[in-house]
Amino acid sequence: MLEIKCPWCGARTQTEFTYAGDATLDRPDAETGSEEDWYEYVYLRDNPRGAHDELWQHSAGCRRYVKVRRDVTTHEIIATGAPGAKLDGGGS
Amino acid sequence: MTKYSIFSLARNALTEHRNWTEAWRSPDPKPAYDVIIIGAGGHGLGTAYYLARNHGITNVAVLEKGYLGGGNTGRNTTIVRANYLLEGNEHFYEHSLKLWEGMSQDLNFNVMFSQRGVINLAHSDPQVDAFQRRGNAMILNGSDAVFLNRAEVQARAPLLDCSDGARYPIKGGLLQPRAGTARHDAVAWGYARAADAAGVDIIQNCEVTGIDIEGGRVTSVQTTRGAIKAGKVGTAVAGHTGHVAAMAGLRLPIESHVLQAMVSEPVKPCLDTVITSGAVHCYISQSDKGELVMGGDLDFYNSYAQRGNFPSIEDVVASVISMFPAFGRLRLMRTWGGVMDMSMDGSPIISKTPIDGFYVNGGWCYGGFKATPGSAWVYAHTIAEDRPHALNECFHLSRFARGYTIDEHGSGPTPGAH
């Protein structure tokens, strides 16, 4: 069972959260983004084998999004923060 | 290669089975090959076999970082089916199902393919309509399907709770009679033995650590056993497709997730078909050893770890017990996890890439095992001819950019949802 530290609620079990995927994607600008930009944003992923920045929604708690840096080879949670936070550790 | 038959069995029985020859060699890597396949699972070994059998290409190596068949080939729930709605999918999986039907004879290796039928349960009236439509599509595409009403489902699975009070009421089910299960390890062993006999080098404990590209063309791979030159390189690494493709500088429409499966303690025969439910999301069958083999949802987060967490196990077990209350008395014997290459539309990618001589076979999501022979067949064609087979044109890597996704579930570019 993963234990995710929500910046607002504290440490909670994973069952309170809903996974929302890769947190490193930048949504292209609606006016100026090219088709290629949108293709990359919608479909392509780095899918690293190691530290992965991702979003989890605390759906059974405060309902806010939490940014999590987690090692996907061990499931160790390295750091958590607000969605806009820059997380450190884990070598990525 | 010793041909396996009742005669060779009898002959070896006379010497107490001490003189069987090895099923495949363990050669050292040569400095160069025409084709290198990365990954000695069912898909990779099958591809090597069909490169030799169908295309006459035998200067082939299959590189495996661990042991043969130790990845998802040995971790799945062994279900083989071809019950898809969409055009490209159904043709491909039906071809694969036909290859399953002849596999044991073709490989001279008993893969214990058991056509016990797969029933996909309908739990609501709209599902009944959708499943009848899917069944008709399957028949029109040359496959087989029978819609069963509730009583017919009950007759085939007496322990299934088909009562009015069931937690997930059963309205009927779509049966594919030719579908079933197979011995997963035997598929890897059978292809390995047949490929080896055709001259393919299978090199275990040899991890690929880099892919060399010069002038837009692949030239060699770096491995833990040194550099090996290659005319062409193809991946067949399931959950590690994204990781290996990154060595060639490619980003793919794939996320790696962990999927768990589990078996109960072995019991007497009590379920002689495969029961699946898309709505509850679980699938269950009984192995030849008597264990009930169960699977369900992903753990729903990116993972390269071959193990998962308890909430998903509990969810699968709860689903199974809600449908088969009698199984609640059984003990869970073993659980394990495998890394799934979840694609953005739920369909596989068997394709050339922007790099000459580099090919990708991945994105199998929950369903790589059943596709093993079909995937290997068309992938060998793609590599040998440097163009897709008619059956995998639709699985081209470029389909995402062009807007031709094959989204069987209609769940959009959310890998975990397929």
Side-chain angles (χ1 to χ4, degrees):
Chain A
M1 182 85 82
L2 303 180
E3 190 182 75
I4 299 170
K5 191 179 165 211
C6 172
W8 298 279
C9 310
R12 301 296 179 93
T13 58
Q14 74 181 77
T15 49
E16 289 189 16
F17 294 82
T18 306
Y19 186 61
D22 196 324
T24 64
L25 305 168
D26 287 324
R27 189 181 173 88
D29 185 87
E31 302 295 325
T32 60
S34 68
E35 238 177 66
E36 181 67 21
D37 294 337
W38 280 101
Y39 164 62
E40 290 189 9
Y41 171 72
V42 173
Y43 291 114
L44 299 187
R45 298 291 178 266
D46 287 338
N47 196 24
R49 191 171 74 168
H52 185 244
D53 283 356
E54 57 202 22
L55 293 170
W56 291 73
Q57 188 188 12
H58 196 183
S59 45
C62 62
R63 300 198 58 77
R64 293 210 232 186
Y65 281 87
V66 180
K67 191 173 182 178
V68 176
R69 175 167 292 181
R70 189 174 54 89
D71 186 329
V72 296
T73 63
T74 61
H75 297 166
E76 181 203 355
I77 291 172
I78 299 158
T80 64
K86 190 180 173 315
L87 303 179
D88 292 318
S92 108
Chain B
M1 181 176 88
T2 311
K3 186 169 161 52
Y4 292 160
S5 68
I6 190 160
F7 303 109
S8 63
L9 189 62
R11 199 165 53 244
N12 280 283
L14 294 175
T15 53
E16 296 179 327
H17 300 292
R18 286 186 183 135
N19 297 319
W20 286 102
T21 52
E22 61 182 5
W24 53 82
R25 300 163 296 132
S26 295
D28 289 324
K30 291 193 281 189
Y33 289 94
D34 292 341
V35 178
I36 286 179
I37 304 293
I38 307 172
H43 290 239
L45 293 164
T47 302
Y49 171 66
Y50 291 122
L51 277 170
R53 177 190 185 271
N54 295 353
H55 305 280
I57 299 172
T58 57
N59 186 22
V60 175
V62 183
L63 308 183
E64 168 57 49
K65 73 170 175 179
Y67 62 94
L68 189 155
N72 293 349
T73 301
R75 291 167 188 269
N76 57 74
T77 50
T78 79
I79 298 168
V80 173
R81 58 186 172 85
N83 54 356
Y84 286 77
L85 171 71
L86 299 179
E87 196 90 334
N89 271 343
E90 184 57 22
H91 290 150
F92 170 77
Y93 287 110
E94 170 58 23
H95 178 64
S96 196
L97 185 52
K98 286 197 176 77
L99 290 172
W100 277 108
E101 290 175 318
M103 190 188 287
S104 292
Q105 293 298 324
D106 187 31
L107 300 180
N108 180 229
F109 200 101
N110 187 3
V111 299
M112 300 166 80
F113 181 46
S114 161
Q115 293 179 292
R116 60 185 67 186
V118 170
I119 299 172
N120 195 196
L121 296 175
H123 298 283
S124 65
D125 292 334
Q127 268 200 316
V128 168
D129 294 345
F131 284 21
Q132 289 187 347
R133 175 178 176 234
R134 176 150 55 94
N136 288 336
M138 288 160 62
I139 292 165
L140 285 170
N141 279 322
S143 196
D144 64 324
V146 181
F147 190 82
L148 307 177
N149 63 29
R150 181 163 75 169
E152 290 165 330
V153 171
Q154 182 79 86
R156 284 169 184 269
L159 292 179
L160 182 65
D161 184 2
C162 294
S163 68
D164 288 335
R167 171 68 182 80
Y168 301 103
I170 290 164
K171 300 280 185 175
L174 186 64
L175 166 71
Q176 185 169 42
R178 287 161 60 239
T181 59
R183 173 80 202 277
H184 52 9
D185 301 318
V187 177
W189 299 336
Y191 274 125
R193 176 169 165 273
D196 178 85
V200 171
D201 284 356
I202 299 164
I203 300 158
Q204 302 180 67
N205 297 311
C206 179
E207 181 172 1
V208 171
T209 54
I211 294 167
D212 300 328
I213 295 155
E214 279 173 30
R217 185 167 183 89
V218 71
T219 57
S220 57
V221 297
Q222 300 293 328
T223 77
T224 49
R225 295 181 67 177
I228 309 173
K229 287 196 168 56
K232 294 174 176 178
V233 175
T235 74
V237 295
H240 289 262
T241 304
H243 171 68
V244 173
M247 293 179 193
L250 292 179
R251 282 176 91 210
L252 295 180
I254 285 176
E255 278 182 9
S256 297
H257 285 250
V258 61
L259 175 64
Q260 300 188 79
M262 57 214 76
V263 291
S264 73
E265 58 188 321
V267 289
K268 296 271 186 182
C270 60
L271 179 62
D272 64 357
T273 185
V274 182
I275 299 288
T276 69
S277 168
V280 187
H281 207 202
C282 67
Y283 28 98
I284 178 165
S285 63
Q286 189 171 23
S287 75
D288 293 334
K289 289 186 284 185
E291 306 142 330
L292 292 158
V293 186
M294 299 168 267
D297 279 326
L298 298 169
D299 276 32
F300 292 125
Y301 46 77
N302 286 47
S303 175
Y304 279 94
Q306 287 175 316
R307 60 190 166 80
N309 258 316
F310 286 110
S312 297
I313 297 173
E314 184 180 13
D315 188 55
V316 171
V317 170
S319 303
V320 168
I321 293 173
S322 72
M323 299 202 299
F324 290 93
F327 295 165
R329 308 302 295 177
L330 294 176
R331 284 167 293 190
L332 206 56
M333 188 168 73
R334 198 166 68 244
T335 75
W336 63 92
V339 187
M340 304 296 114
D341 36 340
M342 301 301 295
S343 70
M344 285 288 174
D345 62 355
S347 295
I349 297 161
I350 313 172
S351 178
K352 295 175 65 172
T353 68
I355 299 159
D356 282 342
F358 185 68
Y359 306 85
V360 168
N361 179 340
W364 288 102
C365 302
Y366 288 81
F369 180 68
K370 63 176 171 291
T372 304
S375 155
W377 184 282
V378 301
Y379 196 37
H381 182 281
T382 305
I383 293 171
E385 308 277 331
D386 197 36
R387 63 185 164 83
H389 187 280
L391 290 171
N392 68 315
E393 278 175 345
C394 59
F395 298 135
H396 201 282
L397 182 56
S398 69
R399 70 176 183 270
F400 300 93
R402 292 183 297 121
Y404 286 90
T405 54
I406 306 173
D407 191 343
E408 190 80 25
H409 291 246
S411 46
T414 308
H418 292 289

